[in-house]
């Protein structure tokens, strides 16, 4: 099955799509992820740069825009791959704790295929938020199919994998504000 057909399947008929991927390899999922990461990186790079470079003079804009687009495509692609790998490893820790025992490869496959809405729509501002929500729903569906987890356990693993980094981020933000904030305002007296 080609990339577009798989993409449509995971977005519109995820249960059937995940079921059909039970016998495929992690390499197949990685290839799918590489293509998806390349697509979303290219489109995101173009949208991001064009959204911020329209204020440059036209002569500077042409050369600066092209090099900025290439830069953001490369950075976006590398970031997407690192994100896919890290998300897979982090999620697998919680999948294992919540009872998933069919192997880390199935968690990798779940994450790579669940990114389908982000591959398709992650480059569109605002719409990317809803693509991210569908991504989390697909993760739960994928874990039930590929890790043979109950829906409750799959939801538990996904929620914990989201909440812990969120708590850490909020705590670090408050700590930064509390430690840097008074120092920043000290000179205003």
């Amino acid at each position: 099955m080609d990339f577009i057909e798989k993409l449509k399947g995971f977005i519109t008929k995820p249960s059937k799509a995940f079921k059909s991927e039970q016998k495929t390899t992690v390499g197949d999922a990685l290839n799918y992820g590489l293509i998806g990461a390349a697509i979303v990186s290219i489109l995101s790079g173009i949208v991001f740069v064009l959204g911020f470079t329209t204020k440059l003079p036209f002569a500077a804009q042409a050369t600066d825009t092209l090099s900025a687009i290439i830069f953001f495509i490369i950075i976006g692609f590398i970031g997407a791959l690192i994100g896919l790998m890290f998300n897979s490893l982090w999620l697998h820790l919680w999948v294992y704790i919540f009872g998933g025992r069919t192997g880390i490869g199935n968690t990798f496959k779940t994450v790579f295929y669940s990114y389908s809405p982000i591959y398709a729509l992650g480059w569109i501002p605002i719409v990317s938020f809803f693509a991210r929500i569908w991504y989390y729903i697909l993760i739960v569906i994928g874990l039930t199919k590929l890790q043979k987890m109950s829906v409750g356990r799959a939801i538990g693993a996904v929620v914990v994998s989201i909440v812990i980094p969120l708590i850490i981020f909020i705590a670090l933000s408050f700590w930064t504000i509390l430690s840097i904030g008074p120092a920043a305002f000290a000179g205003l007296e």
Side-chain angles (χ1 to χ4, degrees):
M1 198 183 305
D2 67 336
F3 179 83
I4 299 297
E5 289 302 312
K6 275 190 182 186
L7 184 78
K8 285 193 296 190
F10 282 107
I11 293 173
T12 61
K13 296 176 183 164
S15 277
K16 183 178 176 186
F18 277 112
K19 194 169 186 175
S20 71
E21 296 300 326
Q22 288 176 333
K23 301 281 189 226
T24 60
T25 67
V26 176
D28 295 331
L30 178 61
N31 288 337
Y32 180 81
L34 290 171
I35 294 168
I39 290 169
V40 75
S41 299
I42 291 167
L43 295 172
S44 295
I46 292 168
V47 168
F48 180 78
V49 171
L50 292 181
F52 288 103
T53 60
T54 56
K55 293 177 178 45
L56 293 174
F58 183 73
Q61 187 176 353
T63 56
D64 291 346
T65 300
L66 181 58
S67 41
I69 288 172
I70 292 169
F71 173 77
F72 281 104
I73 289 171
I74 292 169
I75 294 299
F77 183 72
I78 293 168
L81 293 182
I82 290 170
L84 284 166
M85 295 297 181
F86 179 78
N87 287 347
S88 297
L89 291 170
W90 177 249
L91 178 63
H92 187 68
L93 169 68
W94 299 107
V95 164
Y96 191 81
I97 289 170
F98 277 83
R101 297 290 191 271
T102 65
I104 193 168
N106 282 323
T107 303
F108 271 83
K109 287 169 34 174
T110 298
V111 171
F112 278 58
Y113 290 131
S114 294
Y115 258 77
S116 294
I118 295 169
Y119 300 148
L121 305 169
W123 57 278
I124 304 171
I126 299 168
V127 174
S128 62
F129 173 77
F130 297 103
R132 176 79 46 187
I133 291 171
W134 189 237
Y135 155 72
Y136 288 119
I137 293 168
L138 289 178
I139 291 250
V140 170
I141 295 168
L143 291 176
T144 62
K145 299 298 178 197
L146 298 179
Q147 281 289 355
K148 310 288 190 232
M149 298 175 74
S150 70
V151 172
R153 288 181 182 268
I155 290 171
V158 171
V159 168
V160 171
S161 75
I162 295 168
V163 169
I164 289 178
L166 188 61
I167 290 170
I168 292 169
F169 173 77
I170 291 169
L172 287 174
S173 297
F174 277 121
W175 177 77
T176 302
I177 290 168
L178 293 175
S179 62
I180 295 175
F185 291 111
L188 297 176
E189 296 174 10

